[in-house]
Amino acid sequence: FTLTDKDSNRLYGFCRRYSATAGVNSVEVACILTRFCWYDAFSHLLDAVEDTATGAKGAYGVAALMKAVTAAGLPHPGQLLHIPVAGIHPSSHTLSIERPVNTSRCKYDRRLCVLFRSLVVSKIVMLFFLMLTERRIIIMSAHPSVLSDCAHALESLLYPFAWQHIYVPILVPKMIDYVCAPMPFLIGMHISML
């Protein structure tokens, strides 16, 4: 998900829901909030968080893992960050996360695949044109993950430009009034909100 403040600065949230080992119906959610839209890097980190949380160490292992990640700092663009996780992660001694070279977004990733599987090329070109001409755009799907991935992929196609207007990858029902805004927007809406 993406949060945008009054100065158009974005805060990206990467979340993972998993079943905890503590109880039969116990579900936990790990969420990373960051100013960096590094989908692949944070997805890989959340894989490690899930593996650690569902292992023998549980929540204590996740806390130790995140402490190790925080202490490691940021690598230079294109470089791997090697984090020692022996005794923390159930099956690995080192966690390697690559910082993207192109931090401005557009490169091959899973979100672009979702976009091109969801829409025909002519519709993607039309959406690209609408974004360049700063129009109001609503994308709809029955799956929140598709909405989020398609919104992020569309935004990444603008590189080297950036979408400077209202950007809500998944609109919650309480914010439905946003679709009446007179300014340009890119909004993802669940099909049930029609």
Side-chain angles (χ1 to χ4, degrees):
F1 63 88
T2 306
L3 302 172
T4 307
D5 68 14
K6 63 181 179 170
D7 297 323
S8 296
N9 296 314
R10 295 199 177 126
L11 185 66
Y12 298 94
F14 300 90
C15 300
R16 177 75 52 87
R17 180 180 168 198
Y18 51 86
S19 297
T21 56
V24 178
N25 291 325
S26 180
V27 175
E28 293 179 357
V29 175
C31 189
I32 299 171
L33 296 175
T34 178
R35 295 266 178 222
F36 304 108
C37 187
W38 301 341
Y39 184 85
D40 293 332
F42 290 117
S43 180
H44 185 64
L45 178 57
L46 285 171
D47 289 342
V49 167
E50 182 177 1
D51 291 344
T52 303
T54 56
K57 299 270 184 189
Y60 295 109
V62 172
L65 175 66
M66 295 313 292
K67 186 175 181 181
V69 169
T70 303
L74 286 176
H76 294 288
Q79 291 187 340
L80 282 173
L81 176 64
H82 300 286
I83 305 160
V85 293
I88 300 171
H89 191 272
S91 62
S92 179
H93 295 290
T94 304
L95 175 63
S96 298
I97 298 174
E98 182 180 3
R99 178 177 174 177
V101 174
N102 179 359
T103 58
S104 298
R105 300 180 239 347
C106 192
K107 70 172 205 149
Y108 171 80
D109 69 17
R110 188 182 69 80
R111 295 170 300 175
L112 288 172
C113 292
V114 171
L115 177 66
F116 281 90
R117 275 195 309 259
S118 301
L119 298 170
V120 296
V121 173
S122 62
K123 297 293 183 192
I124 295 170
V125 171
M126 178 183 283
L127 286 168
F128 180 71
F129 170 77
L130 292 172
M131 290 179 76
L132 287 175
T133 56
E134 300 181 328
R135 303 297 176 116
R136 295 187 296 264
I137 302 166
I138 298 174
I139 54 176
M140 302 192 81
S141 175
H143 306 285
S145 62
V146 172
L147 285 174
S148 179
D149 288 345
C150 287
H152 288 301
L154 283 168
E155 185 195 21
S156 77
L157 290 177
L158 286 177
Y159 179 77
F161 304 111
W163 184 255
Q164 297 294 320
H165 305 288
I166 294 173
Y167 178 70
V168 185
I170 302 175
L171 186 71
V172 294
K174 289 183 179 182
M175 297 174 63
I176 192 71
D177 291 342
Y178 272 57
V179 300
C180 297
M183 67 278 294
F185 57 71
L186 174 57
I187 292 177
M189 279 179 49
H190 193 274
I191 200 83
S192 66
M193 293 175 66
L194 270 179

